[in-house]
Amino acid sequence: MATITASNGYKLRPLTDSDSDFILETLKDFPIGSNTYQQRVNEFSNMLYATEGFTVAKVKAKTPTSVTMITEKDSTKLAFCHLAFDNLIVETRMGAVHPSHRGQKHYTASMMLAGYLAYIHCGCTGSIQEAENTGTVN
């Protein structure tokens, strides 16, 4: 699985087991549902399972697949995005910035790197993303 590295210190890499605490902390105030600890653990498990089965070859073969990617800068975990691929279309299903790094434009960097992954590495021809106003979230 490809890791995307930018010249400004940002990196996009696949989710690993060691990202558990980061994901659980990031999802704690995610603006959907009640988000209990067990729900966050289950979500992490599902994202990890999908990521472990992801290959660029599946995307190019138009086989539905998904992956969760972590955005880092200078080895600090900042954000994640969960991407679903189907018929060379990538959909951003979920993404969030860790509470200690919000408001610093890291999500923009994350989406730009995800676009690079989708279009340059995977050969996608289109994308879908739904934005939500999260102004009520602290």
Side-chain angles (χ1 to χ4, degrees), residues 15-113:
L15 182 74
T16 63
D17 289 296
S18 63
D19 295 318
S20 173
D21 289 344
F22 170 77
I23 293 292
L24 296 181
E25 291 169 4
T26 303
L27 288 175
K28 188 170 185 177
D29 65 352
F30 198 71
I32 57 171
S34 60
N35 248 349
T36 66
Y37 179 77
Q38 191 58 53
Q39 287 170 317
R40 290 181 278 142
V41 168
N42 290 343
E43 188 65 41
F44 173 75
S45 296
N46 289 332
M47 289 189 290
L48 189 60
Y49 177 77
T51 300
E52 289 173 345
F54 176 83
T55 65
V56 171
K58 285 182 181 179
V59 177
K60 290 182 177 183
K62 300 182 180 179
T63 303
T65 188
S66 60
V67 65
T68 300
M69 302 294 285
I70 301 293
T71 302
E72 297 180 347
K73 185 167 185 179
D74 303 324
S75 300
T76 300
K77 298 173 192 176
L78 304 169
F80 79 89
C81 61
H82 184 76
L83 308 169
F85 297 85
D86 190 6
N87 200 28
L88 297 179
I89 305 294
V90 61
E91 177 184 356
T92 304
R93 290 266 172 96
M94 182 188 314
V97 176
H98 189 276
S100 10
H101 301 290
R102 292 183 182 151
Q104 301 169 32
K105 310 286 188 228
H106 298 305
Y107 193 72
T108 300
S110 183
M111 290 296 94
M112 291 177 75
L113 291 169

